[in-house]
Every structure is written in structure tokens, then in C-alpha cells.
Amino acid sequence: MNYKIVADSSANLTALEGIPFESVPLKIIAGDKYYTDNAALDVRDMAEYMKSYSGRSSTSCPNVAEWMDAYGDADVVFAIAITSNLSGSYAAALQAKKDYEEANPGKRVVLCDSLSTGPEMKVIIEYVISLMKDGADADTIEAKVKEYTKHTHLLFSLESLRNLANNGRVSPAVAKIAGILGIRVVGRASSEGTLEQLHKCPGERKAINAIYSEMKKEGYEGGKVRIDHCFNEDIANAMQDIIKADFPDADIIIGENRGLCCFYAEMGGMLVGYEDNR
Ligand code: X90
């Protein structure tokens, strides 16, 4: 059986070692600038431009043909998209799955609506890789992922919600709070895959503590954590330190947000994906 993993670019992955993988890029548009969220994108350059740009900006999701191309010709494709409640990416991936399975009898696309984004998608993908290494078939992957994702979560700390608000992905009331200097909005991906505000934190230290106590509340006990930040290594390192103080052997990897997540999480933002131990 030959496998492939396909994710939209909100997963912050450009490649996966030793595994056939393709990232399907979202796009970021600001005035006459058009950024494709692929491996060639200079994310810092984009983020810096966004900081100085005050005109309209928006994003667009991949279309059916782009997902279809990425599926390639694998027997079993595992595809995963950003939450269907904030983007059309999943809907396009679903149509592409139908077309793919119709055009290639016997081949399967196991499609997952992450109801999340970024590092939670990484946690799910790593789990799928372990299933593929065990030779699991499509039905097994589908069933196990469904179970596993009950135990994966996403929390975040954001300094600005301007781009989320301007694009209608968060309520204006929530966005206003984040506009106040020094306030971080700590929140999570809700079970419906929307952005849910949990705390308003004055300063980064409080934000990190709030995130960690939410993790504990959700049953975190030393499982896998993936932290992706927007040019804020300090907050990511501090987040890692507080977890390691309790769980020195926890499997934690710090990474960077790529274009889509960086556009919405903005400079200084951090996303934390993890698995609980329930
Ligand atoms: O289709 C499109 O144009 C993409 C729209 C994506 C909108 C939301 C992106 C959120 C990125 C921000 C913080 C985490 C929020 C988690 C909510 C599930 C990251």
C-alpha cells in the first residue's frame, strides 16, 4: 500500500521526513501583494509588511483542483484541513476526495476536519505517521484518528486580533480587547472549531500561566506538545520551560508559524497544540 499525507498550509509544515507529503497553500492578499503560503514564502518579510500596511487584507483557501493535484496517485491519502468553521479549505478537500475516489476506484482519501489549525494539526499528523508505519489500512486510520482527536487540543496567546476581526473570524468585541496595549488574549479552538476567548492577560508571563493551567484542566500529563510562534521565541521557550518543570521528559518541539497562521496570529502570537492523557 502506498501512502501520502496532504495538509493545507495552516499546519505550518513544508516537508515531512521520510514520508510522501504535500502542503496545499492558502494565499494571503494585501493590496497589490499576493503571498502564496508555500516553502518559498519569506514569512518574516510578509509579517513585517503586514505590520506597516493598514489597508484591506484577506486570505483565500485552496480550491478543489489544488487538493486533487496534491492527492497525487497514492492508494491511501490522509488529508487534513484547517477548521471548516473558519475556512472553505475543508469543503474543497472534501469535493476533491469525492472526485479522487471516483476517478481511482479502490483508492481512498481519509479526510480530517481538524476543527483547529497549526500545531494541533501537526500532533494529529504525527499520530497518522505512526499508524502508517504500522501498515494500517484506510478504515483503521479513519477510526483511530476520530478517537485520537478527542484528545488533542489547541490553545493560543495573541497580541492582536486585527486580521481575525477584519476578516470576520472573531467577534469585534473580542478583537477590541486585544487592541489594548500589553493585553494578550488567551483562548482555544472550541469543539466546533471556532475561536473561543478564555482570558485577557496583562503580559506574556500571565498568558503562559493561563495556557498551562488550561492544559492541566484538560488533562495534560506530560504528553506531546507542539508550539508554533510568530517571531517570538521567548514566549515559546518560556512555555516549554513551564511544562518541563512538571514533566521533564515531555516531548515538546518549538516551531514557527508559516504564512496563514502568522497572518492571523500576528507578530508575537503563539499556538500550542497538545494531547491530553485521558
Ligand atoms: O479560508 C481562508 O481564507 C482561511 C481562513 C482562516 C481563518 C482563521 C485562522 C486562524 C489562524 C489564529 C489563532 C488560532 C485560532 C484557532 C481557532 C480554531 C490562527
Side-chain angles (χ1 to χ4, degrees):
M1 201 148 34
N2 90 61
Y3 297 109
K4 185 168 187 181
I5 294 180
V6 178
D8 66 39
S9 64
S10 77
N12 297 330
L13 289 167
T14 49
L16 282 176
E17 224 181 89
I19 280 277
F21 171 75
E22 206 155 316
S23 172
V24 191
L26 287 101
K27 286 101 193 162
I28 299 101
I29 305 111
D32 57 2
K33 297 246 186 201
Y34 185 89
Y35 301 97
T36 302
D37 189 16
N38 59 20
L41 175 68
D42 184 336
V43 182
R44 184 182 281 279
D45 181 71
M46 183 201 82
E48 244 136 44
Y49 180 76
M50 287 298 165
K51 238 176 125 175
S52 63
Y53 174 79
S54 54
R56 258 202 66 77
S57 56
S58 62
T59 57
S60 74
C61 66
N63 61 31
V64 180
E66 288 168 307
W67 277 103
M68 184 83 173
D69 279 352
Y71 295 162
D73 63 355
D75 299 328
V76 177
V77 177
F78 176 76
I80 182 166
I82 185 170
T83 170
S84 62
N85 271 315
L86 296 178
S87 170
S89 188
Y90 174 80
L94 181 61
Q95 186 56 50
K97 165 187 156 74
K98 287 176 186 154
D99 296 351
Y100 187 81
E101 289 175 347
E102 206 178 287
N104 304 285
K107 299 195 175 192
R108 285 278 305 277
V109 176
V110 177
L111 175 61
C112 173
D113 177 354
S114 70
L115 296 174
S116 183
T117 190
E120 184 177 354
M121 290 169 76
K122 287 185 176 173
V123 171
I124 298 166
I125 288 168
E126 287 178 30
Y127 177 69
V128 171
I129 293 173
S130 72
L131 296 175
M132 288 177 170
K133 286 193 170 146
D134 289 346
D137 62 17
D139 288 334
T140 308
I141 293 172
E142 187 152 43
K144 291 210 161 182
V145 166
K146 208 172 161 201
E147 193 48 42
Y148 183 67
T149 50
K150 291 179 188 159
H151 301 281
T152 61
H153 312 271
L154 182 80
L155 291 161
F156 53 81
S157 162
L158 305 179
E159 287 178 31
S160 164
L161 273 67
R162 186 184 67 149
N163 289 338
L164 281 163
N166 285 346
N167 287 285
R169 259 80 184 192
V170 75
S171 81
V174 173
K176 223 168 155 184
I177 297 158
I180 303 165
L181 204 69
I183 296 287
R184 268 89 181 155
V185 168
V186 166
R188 70 171 159 221
S190 71
S191 50
E192 294 82 48
T194 54
L195 194 140
E196 181 184 349
Q197 185 209 317
L198 295 167
H199 305 280
K200 297 168 257 178
C201 298
E204 222 148 75
R205 172 50 50 191
K206 288 227 161 59
I208 291 160
N209 290 339
I211 289 177
Y212 190 52
S213 61
E214 289 300 330
M215 288 172 70
K216 297 281 278 286
K217 242 197 266 174
E218 292 273 7
Y220 179 76
E221 271 175 50
K224 185 177 282 191
V225 185
R226 299 291 175 261
I227 304 170
D228 289 345
H229 63 89
C230 304
F231 307 101
N232 192 350
E233 245 171 274
D234 288 350
I235 194 176
N237 285 327
M239 189 72 239
Q240 166 163 262
D241 290 347
I242 189 174
I243 301 166
K244 290 244 168 171
D246 282 349
F247 302 101
D249 299 326
D251 168 10
I252 306 177
I253 299 178
I254 295 175
E256 284 160 14
N257 286 315
R258 299 292 306 162
L260 191 277
C261 282
C262 207
F263 172 76
Y264 284 108
E266 301 192 43
M267 283 288 196
M270 171 177 69
L271 311 185
V272 181
Y274 68 98
E275 54 179 19
D276 69 40
N277 282 55
R278 290 195 168 128

